[in-house]
Amino acid sequence: MSTQDFAFTPYPDLPKSHYLNVAYGLKSWLFTTDHKRIGILYLLSITFFFALGGLYATAIRLELLTPAGDMVQPDTYNRLFTMHGILMIFFFLVPSIPAVLGNFLLPLMIGAKDVAFPRLNLASWYMYIIGATFTLYALFMGGVDTGWTFYTPFSSTYSNSYVAAVAVGIFINGFSSIFTGINFMVTIHRMRAPGLTWFRLPLFVWSHYATSLIMVLGTPVLAITIVLLAMERVFKLGFFDPALGGDPVLFQHLFWFYSHPAVYIMILPSMGVISEIIAAFSRKRIFGYKFVALASMGIAVIGFIVWGHHLFVSSQSLYAGLIFSILTMLVAVPSAVKVFNWTATLYKGSIEYSTPMFYALGFLGLFAIGGLTGVMLATIGIDVHVHDTYFVVAHFHYIMVGGALMGYLGGLHYWWPKITGRMYPGFWSHLSALIIFLGFNLTFFPQFVLGYLGMPRRYHSYPEEFQVLHILSTAGASILAVGYIIPLVYFIWSLKYGEVAGDNPWDAVGLEWQTTSPPSLHNFDEIPVVDFEPYDYVEHEPVDRPYRYSRSEA
Amino acid sequence: MSEQHASEHEHGLKFYWLVLFALLVLTWVTYGAALIDFGHPWSDLVALAIAVTKATLVVSFFMHVKGATSMIKMSAVGGFFWLIILFAFVLADVLTRPGMREFF
Amino acid sequence: MSNTSPWIDLTGTPGQKHEEGIVVSDSHAAATHPPGLAHHFESYEQQKESSFLGMWLFLVQEVMFFGGLFCCYVIYRSLYGEAFAAASRELNVFIGALNTTVLLFSSFTMVVAVNAAKQGNRKWIVYGLLLTMLFGGIFLGVKYFEYSSKWEHHLVPGPHFEWHGEDVGRPVEIFFCLYFAMTGMHALHMVVGIGIMLWMLRPAWRGKWTPENHNFVEGFGLYWHFVDIVWIFLFPFLYLIGLAT
Ligand code: HEM
Ligand SMILES: [Cu+2]
């Protein structure tokens, strides 16, 4: 902390009244309808599930350290990767950015006092908690061994694990997503401040609109599919039972009709975060703003008609496979539009390597790798070779961890001063961002190679020639774990000891920065009137920020 | 908006009785039509057409979509449109899958 | 503003819970706001439009939810047309048509209730709701008898299932799986609807819903009509297959 001398704190203290100090006590949290507090409730909940999912991941990586399946039984191993997937996808990544940052920021960004249906918003959190309770029940009873995809007939007939309980949990949790989606869409349609036209909306809002559309249109199909699965399992109604002429592939169709768009539920909000960060730290208007905005909608729509790429080798007809293959390649186009436009935004910008920017740059590279390997997988000829291998595992982890999770952490670092009013230490946050980037690549890059060489996914033992790569991957996972623990520590630390950040520590534009940090109960003293374009940065103006935390001390 | 209010007040109960009457007639028409054999796809299409007509009556008048904002019109149609996507692509697979029909 | 409203009243009164949860040294509360207008809305107009759009999006969600079931139906029907036709003959078409009629009447009485709300006629809101519940109840009663006769004839899928009709293969059982899933899910929606109407009786009688603010009644009406529409499709899909052949 030798740079203490530079410290310049124009805001000696937090504002007198803000959403955190207007009321105290458990009741004031459990019955709150304030979108900001609900965001915090979600933050705490998903952090818990991230940690739990992480424990399962640790167990998986430890088992794979040696070629022999010597740590756990094969059946236990099935439960490990299944619970890892369920917890991470349904209880962490799907709600992560929308329910935490979206909830907190959406009304602030559009100049509203709250979301359109505050009580529905709280209900969504309770749905999440009830769904999570069912899932935890199943977990403590021994978990589920079907894979997060619940393919029939194994899940409906043969599995001896707690499929029904988890099905109920995911069904209920789905409604938390649906409620959030409805709420966001209505909020964006009806609650915008005067002057805030559609093409003045921050890209974060656009991407949440697209996400909400998927939540509303896709999640109910998963819900009914899960109900059918549970009915088949419990009441022996053979919807997908081949013995009756039922078609298990139909289950896969219905499942992926939600679950492929769901991967865009995970990545789209993250793209929104990246747009905000890149604009703020290159001090430039986003290049091709309209294209980026509409690309979000394009991804949401095209993303609905590509699900069949998960069924290439499930005896789906070849004709359908062809159509799905072509459409899948098409969905990469709007994703690429975004990546190109972010890169063009960086070009000749006054780039500042703040912590959020570290995450954003990391996102760019990792998402590009994830997306390009996706296009490889969309090619049927390649997919037949690498389907259900570690190549696929690496593909989606590059997008979901390297993309979505990096975006979430970047967003958390970017808006943390807004949420809590305080700043985290610059040195440690830069360091942990680097550790995460390195650890991530060490964990997952070897998996591309492993998969290409033929290492199947979901096996707990493997031939010895794969061991070196598996050891690298496990080593990377340990580094990654360190990278995640550091922010946990300094975020908590900053709540009490962090420097007071001020209303707009990054000199960013956008309505959320025009109110106090933390914001007051009703967000704005007066509803703002918007007469400026989005990302109204003065270009090429060197940033000369007096604040200590804006620079890396490293 | 004013258009919406106007149309809301125009419809007295008498108008809704008429809608109800049309719906009832269509119900028994679809029953009657089912007794006639129109040949393979046609019987189904007739039943579907009548059901869609009935649904349109309910949506337009009972649910006041006629005269509502365009966003509401879009959501009324959007759900059904999205379903067609689901049906079309799943059918594209199932109907072109070799050996599917001969199985049972 | 004396009524406490549960969370499902999306935009009604600003809800005590809110005032308890967070608050309150804030001049912003009730005083400056007209009755029935939630604190975060600027006008009745905005509140009303938000509430309808929200309700419609909820219905879109419902369409997709039932859509999964209809998708299964479409697929299996196109694969096993013969078996479906044979199985459908086990249903009583006349009872199906009668129940359709009953449900259409209930939709009409719901319109009566909504119309009364628009005019602030609290007596007819209550009558409309009562009649709607009555028709809904008749529908469910008839459904109950249909179900129990299926049970007696061993047509409920699962270990008890027995098929004595024409030999058209195992998929007849799939027809009954879908029959129970679809009508059951539909009936569940009606039960929920009747429950909400029961709850609505008291506030309706006390005059909570005025011509300016009756979004809840209208929103609920949309839900009830939607349930009706589902049945409009279920009736020909399940009862009227292969009648002529
Ligand atoms: C650039 C666009 C993308 C393309 C072209 C693409 C393509 C594919 C393909 C073809 C598969 C199937 C591989 C197989 O199972 O054999 C796949 C799997 C997967 N993708 Fe992507 N993908 C893209 C983006 C994403 C995104 C954004 C996410 C998540 C945020 C994602 C997550 C996944 C997951 C989770 C799986 C594996 C599911 C499983 O079997 O467990 N993908 N992807
Ligand atoms: Cu996919």
Side-chain angles (χ1 to χ4, degrees):
Chain A
M1 293 278 157
S2 58
T3 40
Q4 192 83 38
D5 332 339
F6 290 110
F8 167 64
T9 314
Y11 300 93
D13 219 342
L14 298 179
K16 263 207 192 61
S17 160
H18 50 79
Y19 76 100
L20 290 167
N21 71 3
V22 283
Y24 294 99
L26 196 61
K27 243 181 96 185
S28 79
W29 283 90
L30 292 183
F31 294 110
T32 183
T33 49
D34 179 8
H35 66 102
K36 302 183 283 304
R37 284 192 169 209
I38 294 172
I40 304 280
L41 289 176
Y42 263 117
L43 173 66
L44 298 175
S45 331
I46 68 163
T47 306
F48 171 75
F49 281 100
F50 180 57
L52 203 58
L55 285 181
Y56 278 99
T58 313
I60 295 173
R61 282 318 321 164
L62 283 178
E63 166 63 71
L64 292 177
L65 209 46
T66 55
D70 43 12
M71 193 179 93
V72 294
Q73 299 297 316
D75 179 56
T76 313
Y77 185 76
N78 290 348
R79 289 164 200 251
L80 291 180
F81 68 69
T82 303
M83 292 315 289
H84 168 69
I86 291 173
L87 295 175
M88 284 301 199
I89 289 181
F90 294 111
F91 293 96
F92 171 69
L93 211 48
V94 166
S96 64
I97 299 184
V100 178
L101 297 175
N103 246 333
F104 196 97
L105 292 161
L106 213 65
L108 288 171
M109 285 184 165
I110 64 172
K113 288 182 199 140
D114 207 322
V115 290
F117 310 121
R119 271 170 282 179
L120 188 66
N121 201 10
L122 181 63
S124 122
W125 182 70
Y126 277 103
M127 290 305 230
Y128 173 89
I129 291 296
I130 297 170
T133 310
F134 274 97
T135 307
L136 285 178
Y137 162 79
L139 187 154
F140 285 121
M141 300 304 287
V144 179
D145 62 356
T146 61
W148 77 280
T149 46
F150 302 107
Y151 278 8
T152 55
F154 181 64
S155 59
S156 60
T157 313
Y158 302 109
S159 165
N160 276 318
S161 60
Y162 285 77
V163 178
V166 165
V168 174
I170 289 177
F171 175 82
I172 297 175
N173 180 48
F175 283 90
S176 107
S177 244
I178 293 171
F179 289 172
T180 303
I182 293 178
N183 225 335
F184 283 2
M185 283 183 72
V186 178
T187 306
I188 297 171
H189 269 284
R190 294 280 172 243
M191 311 285 285
R192 280 171 286 133
L196 193 52
T197 56
W198 281 89
F199 284 117
R200 280 180 179 169
L201 287 175
L203 290 165
F204 182 86
V205 178
W206 269 102
S207 66
H208 273 74
Y209 188 81
T211 308
S212 307
L213 202 65
I214 304 176
M215 286 172 161
V216 174
L217 289 169
T219 319
V221 177
L222 176 76
I224 188 70
T225 310
I226 290 278
V227 169
L228 294 180
L229 167 59
M231 289 209 280
E232 176 158 351
R233 191 176 167 82
V234 178
F235 303 118
K236 309 276 176 275
L237 300 183
F239 299 103
F240 308 111
D241 182 359
L244 304 182
D247 180 10
V249 181
L250 178 59
F251 173 86
Q252 299 183 18
H253 273 296
L254 292 173
F255 179 83
W256 287 111
F257 180 83
Y258 164 75
S259 293
H260 181 83
V263 306
Y264 294 104
I265 293 181
M266 304 181 226
I267 198 71
L268 274 168
S270 191
M271 292 171 155
V273 170
I274 298 306
S275 298
E276 300 298 316
I277 295 178
I278 286 191
F281 297 109
S282 12
R283 318 297 305 166
K284 271 178 74 181
R285 199 180 141 84
I286 285 280
F287 181 84
Y289 164 88
K290 278 192 187 175
F291 284 96
V292 181
L294 294 176
S296 290
M297 302 305 289
I299 289 176
V301 172
I302 304 176
F304 262 104
I305 48 178
V306 304
W307 76 82
H309 61 226
H310 296 277
L311 283 70
F312 284 154
V313 297
S314 306
S315 85
Q316 175 182 244
S317 103
L318 194 60
Y319 305 101
L322 264 173
I323 301 172
F324 279 126
S325 171
I326 293 168
L327 288 171
T328 303
M329 294 179 187
L330 210 64
V331 80
V333 173
S335 312
V337 165
K338 291 196 171 211
V339 174
F340 288 136
N341 285 7
W342 288 322
T343 316
T345 309
L346 292 172
Y347 180 68
K348 289 198 173 164
S350 319
I351 297 197
E352 180 186 348
Y353 292 101
S354 63
T355 311
M357 192 62 161
F358 267 34
Y359 282 103
L361 295 175
F363 173 101
L364 273 186
L366 300 180
F367 175 72
I369 296 178
L372 288 174
T373 51
V375 180
M376 287 171 72
L377 290 170
T379 319
I380 301 183
I382 297 182
D383 190 66
V384 170
H385 173 52
V386 294
H387 173 72
D388 264 350
T389 67
Y390 261 81
F391 193 87
V392 175
V393 175
H395 153 67
F396 67 74
H397 281 89
Y398 260 78
I399 297 187
M400 302 211 285
V401 181
L405 184 60
M406 292 288 254
Y408 171 64
L409 287 176
L412 212 53
H413 282 86
Y414 183 52
W415 284 293
W416 188 258
K418 181 51 66 184
I419 296 173
T420 64
R422 292 184 185 272
M423 195 51 95
Y424 44 81
F427 170 75
W428 289 103
S429 58
H430 279 90
L431 182 70
S432 70
L434 281 178
I435 292 178
I436 288 175
F437 184 79
L438 294 177
F440 172 84
N441 281 298
L442 188 56
T443 310
F444 291 105
F445 196 80
Q447 298 188 358
F448 276 128
V449 185
L450 273 172
Y452 207 81
L453 294 177
M455 169 81 202
R457 65 193 282 205
R458 298 180 172 173
Y459 278 70
H460 83 319
S461 59
Y462 53 84
E464 278 178 17
E465 60 261 37
F466 292 144
Q467 191 176 12
V468 176
L469 289 164
H470 271 302
I471 290 178
L472 285 180
S473 182
T474 301
S478 330
I479 297 176
L480 199 51
V482 174
Y484 291 141
I485 290 171
I486 298 175
L488 191 68
V489 174
Y490 64 67
F491 274 146
I492 295 173
W493 176 89
S494 78
L495 291 178
K496 194 157 160 54
Y497 305 103
E499 205 176 322
V500 173
D503 295 350
N504 189 357
W506 313 118
D507 275 334
V509 297
L511 292 182
E512 82 267 29
W513 300 109
Q514 293 184 8
T515 179
T516 53
S517 302
S520 64
L521 176 58
H522 291 301
N523 297 348
F524 300 95
D525 294 335
E526 254 173 65
I527 293 299
V529 176
V530 180
D531 53 4
F532 49 87
E533 297 303 307
Y535 309 110
D536 211 4
Y537 290 103
V538 184
E539 283 185 26
H540 309 304
E541 189 188 64
V543 214
D544 183 21
R545 232 192 290 286
Y547 314 144
R548 164 157 60 90
Y549 43 73
S550 65
R551 294 202 192 88
S552 166
E553 289 157 303
Chain B
M1 279 317 301
S2 55
E3 189 199 336
Q4 183 188 350
H5 285 295
S7 66
E8 268 173 18
H9 292 302
E10 266 169 34
H11 298 325
L13 276 189
K14 213 158 130 199
F15 175 77
Y16 293 117
W17 274 113
L18 275 176
V19 178
L20 175 64
F21 182 71
L23 288 168
L24 294 176
V25 170
L26 284 170
T27 301
W28 295 92
V29 166
T30 190
Y31 184 5
L35 297 172
I36 307 168
D37 190 0
F38 292 106
H40 171 48
W42 300 109
S43 291
D44 293 349
L45 288 182
V46 168
L48 191 64
I50 297 177
V52 169
T53 315
K54 286 166 76 182
T56 313
L57 286 176
V58 175
V59 170
S60 323
F61 301 116
F62 285 179
M63 298 169 90
H64 305 294
V65 161
K66 198 157 184 293
T69 58
S70 56
M71 184 56 204
I72 284 183
K73 280 183 182 148
M74 263 168 71
S75 20
V77 183
F80 291 97
F81 179 71
W82 230 249
L83 274 191
I84 294 175
I85 294 183
L86 172 63
F87 293 180
F89 281 85
V90 179
L91 277 175
D93 167 27
V94 173
L95 296 184
T96 58
R97 219 187 284 163
M100 206 47 202
R101 281 161 190 268
E102 291 90 77
F103 228 59
F104 280 86
Chain C
M1 241 200 276
S2 56
N3 286 320
T4 29
S5 33
W7 60 267
I8 198 154
D9 179 0
L10 301 179
T11 55
T13 60
Q16 251 110 335
K17 276 183 191 149
H18 180 88
E19 309 296 330
E20 270 164 38
I22 290 233
V23 176
V24 163
S25 62
D26 176 80
S27 63
H28 203 79
T32 51
H33 274 279
L37 184 64
H39 81 283
H40 58 293
F41 288 119
E42 296 297 304
S43 65
Y44 284 119
E45 196 63 31
Q46 190 190 25
Q47 170 164 310
K48 180 177 162 186
E49 288 187 352
S50 304
S51 135
F52 286 162
L53 185 55
M55 196 59 210
W56 271 103
L57 290 175
F58 180 77
L59 293 185
V60 168
Q61 179 278 130
E62 289 278 20
V63 169
M64 297 309 291
F65 185 81
F66 278 99
L69 280 170
F70 278 96
C71 183
C72 293
Y73 174 89
V74 168
I75 298 303
Y76 290 135
R77 171 81 188 278
S78 61
L79 289 176
Y80 310 124
E82 214 184 320
F84 268 45
S88 170
R89 291 300 94 253
E90 298 290 324
L91 305 180
N92 187 326
V93 183
F94 181 74
I95 291 195
L98 197 74
N99 242 358
T100 312
T101 310
V102 169
L103 207 56
L104 288 172
F105 267 98
S106 85
S107 246
F108 174 75
T109 51
M110 191 67 231
V111 171
V112 170
V114 172
N115 242 24
K118 277 183 192 153
Q119 288 151 11
N121 184 343
R122 66 195 172 98
K123 217 165 76 185
W124 269 99
I125 305 183
V126 173
Y127 291 165
L129 290 177
L130 283 173
L131 282 171
T132 310
M133 281 192 280
L134 177 72
F135 286 124
I138 294 177
F139 180 95
L140 289 175
V142 172
K143 206 80 231 141
Y144 171 78
F145 285 109
E146 278 192 281
Y147 278 1
S148 51
S149 100
K150 297 288 161 309
W151 177 260
E152 280 160 18
H153 291 89
H154 294 282
L155 290 174
V156 177
H160 296 286
F161 188 83
E162 284 169 28
W163 176 253
H164 299 296
E166 184 189 351
D167 183 18
V168 281
R170 299 293 306 275
V172 281
E173 192 173 337
I174 291 201
F175 175 85
F176 283 100
C177 290
L178 284 171
Y179 168 78
F180 279 102
M182 293 169 109
T183 56
M185 202 52 85
H186 175 259
L188 193 69
H189 275 75
M190 291 192 59
V191 171
V192 171
I194 291 177
I196 296 175
M197 279 190 276
L198 272 177
W199 173 84
M200 283 164 74
L201 286 176
R202 209 169 74 128
W205 185 249
R206 289 190 170 180
K208 171 175 170 151
W209 290 302
T210 56
E212 295 82 49
N213 183 23
H214 52 268
N215 295 342
F216 189 90
V217 187
E218 243 186 300
F220 177 78
L222 293 177
Y223 171 82
W224 191 257
H225 296 312
F226 167 78
V227 175
D228 193 9
I229 290 178
V230 172
W231 185 261
I232 286 179
F233 285 99
L234 286 183
F235 172 58
F237 281 19
L238 295 174
Y239 288 80
L240 298 182
I241 324 175
L243 263 186
T245 42

